[in-house]
Amino acid sequence: MLQLADRRRSRSAAAMSGKMVELQALAAVILWKSGHFDTFDLASVLGVGEGAVCRTLQAARHLERGLA
């Protein structure tokens, strides 16, 4: 039954995640740093899943701290 699920109606993170291209990732980090957007807004504007935005921001934090 799971393969028959409608992804547009699903609220799970797995269905809403996905990949971002480099420009989308850069835009997400820059817009996040502005302090005017949350992860949901960024995902909507960039046309990607919120999970992808969260993973990208987490990776950017690790790079800033020198943990990567």
Side-chain angles (χ1 to χ4, degrees):
M1 281 295 181
L2 290 177
Q3 65 271 24
L4 299 177
D6 185 358
R7 286 183 175 247
R8 291 172 290 161
R9 293 183 182 190
S10 176
R11 300 278 187 235
S12 73
M16 297 298 288
S17 64
K19 295 183 180 182
M20 298 175 75
V21 296
E22 291 175 10
L23 288 177
Q24 287 173 314
L26 181 61
V29 172
I30 291 170
L31 292 172
W32 176 260
K33 291 262 187 190
S34 75
H36 296 288
F37 303 94
D38 62 14
T39 56
F40 179 79
D41 293 335
L42 293 173
S44 298
V45 168
L46 297 172
V48 298
E50 191 172 10
V53 172
C54 292
R55 286 190 304 274
T56 299
L57 295 175
Q58 185 65 31
R61 286 186 201 110
H62 281 295
L63 288 172
E64 277 185 338
R65 295 179 186 149
L67 299 175

